[in-house]
Amino acid sequence: MTAKKKLKKPNALGRIVRAIDAAGRDADVARRSASDPAFRKGVQSDRRATLSKFSTVKHALADRERRERAKKKKKT
């Protein structure tokens, strides 16, 4: 490789093209993975776990609000 090529910075258009190509490759991998039954089962269990965590947080926040309201009533 010559010294000029080594020092030459890629232009903005070249960086954009490489980013688009990388995104396309990632999308292809994701599409192939999504058709895999084991992958789909893993996503489904992750989704359930995440939703159950949100449900738990929601209940915890509701309990905290109830306790705060009870404290305010007690003070008055």
Side-chain angles (χ1 to χ4, degrees), residues 8-52:
K8 186 178 177 184
K9 290 183 178 179
N11 63 12
L13 185 58
R15 288 191 303 261
I16 291 169
V17 167
R18 281 193 297 284
I20 291 171
D21 287 343
R25 286 190 303 273
D26 290 345
D28 289 340
V29 169
R31 251 184 256 110
R32 278 187 244 118
S33 297
S35 63
D36 180 22
F39 176 79
R40 293 178 99 178
K41 188 175 182 178
V43 168
Q44 189 176 33
S45 67
D46 287 346
R47 189 180 304 141
R48 285 188 184 133
T50 302
L51 289 175
S52 69

Side-chain angles (χ1 to χ4, degrees), residues 3 6 25 27 32 36 50 54 57 66 69 72 74:
K6 205 175 209 181
R25 286 190 303 273
R32 278 187 244 118
D36 180 22
T50 302
F54 280 123
V57 170
R66 267 188 248 120
R69 275 188 253 128
K72 285 180 183 178
K74 208 175 196 181

